[in-house]
Amino acid sequence: EVQLVESGGGLVQPGGSLRLSCAASGFTFSRYGMSWVRQAPGKGLEWVSGINSGGSSTSYGDSVKGRFTISRDNAKNTLYLQMNSLKPEDTAVYSCAKAYGGSWSVETNGMDYWGKGTLVNVSS
C-alpha cells in the first residue's frame, strides 16, 4: 500500500523558516517524480514544487521561487521542502504527491497518490 506521510508543519512568524518532510512507503521511491502542493483556506489546490526521480532536476511555482527548496533522499525514501522567508500568504496545508513516472507533474491528473498534508501557519 502506497503511503505518503508529511510532517514538519506548524506556526511560524513571517520571515521565518520551516522544513517539511514526506516519508514514502509502499513503492520504489527512487523511480518516481514527486511534487509538493498546497491548499490555502478557502482556495484551490496550488502546485508548489517538483523534483525528478533522481533529484537532478527541480521546478518551482512563481510564488515560491527563490524562497523554497525541494530535495529528496532516495536512501531514506523521504522528500523535503525547505521553506525560507515565509509570508502570511504561504499559510496552507502542504501535501506531497507522487507522479506516475520519473518526472514531476504540475497537474493533479499527473499525480496518483497524495498524503494527508501538514498545516503551515505563518502569522505574527
Side-chain angles (χ1 to χ4, degrees):
E1 178 189 4
V2 171
Q3 288 195 328
L4 298 169
V5 180
E6 302 89 345
S7 61
L11 176 63
V12 61
Q13 291 187 340
S17 298
L18 280 176
R19 189 175 84 152
L20 306 183
S21 298
C22 168
S25 62
F27 66 103
T28 306
F29 181 70
S30 61
R31 292 183 180 177
Y32 295 94
M34 298 291 296
S35 290
W36 285 99
V37 298
R38 69 184 182 184
Q39 187 161 22
K43 296 189 177 181
L45 203 63
E46 178 188 7
W47 176 81
V48 174
S49 182
I51 188 168
N52 69 343
S53 57
S56 61
S57 183
T58 60
S59 184
Y60 299 90
D62 288 342
S63 62
V64 307
K65 200 171 295 182
R67 299 187 297 122
F68 290 11
T69 303
I70 190 172
S71 62
R72 64 191 296 162
D73 186 335
N74 285 343
K76 295 183 178 180
N77 291 343
T78 303
L79 177 72
Y80 302 100
L81 186 68
Q82 177 67 43
M83 306 186 296
N84 298 330
S85 302
L86 283 161
K87 305 175 181 179
E89 51 264 42
D90 294 319
T91 295
V93 174
Y94 286 72
S95 300
C96 57
K98 172 187 170 292
Y100 283 104
S103 186
W104 65 85
S105 177
V106 176
E107 303 294 336
T108 55
N109 61 10
M111 307 170 193
D112 54 1
Y113 290 94
W114 289 262
K116 293 183 178 180
T118 184
L119 175 64
V120 172
N121 186 2
V122 185
S123 175
S124 55

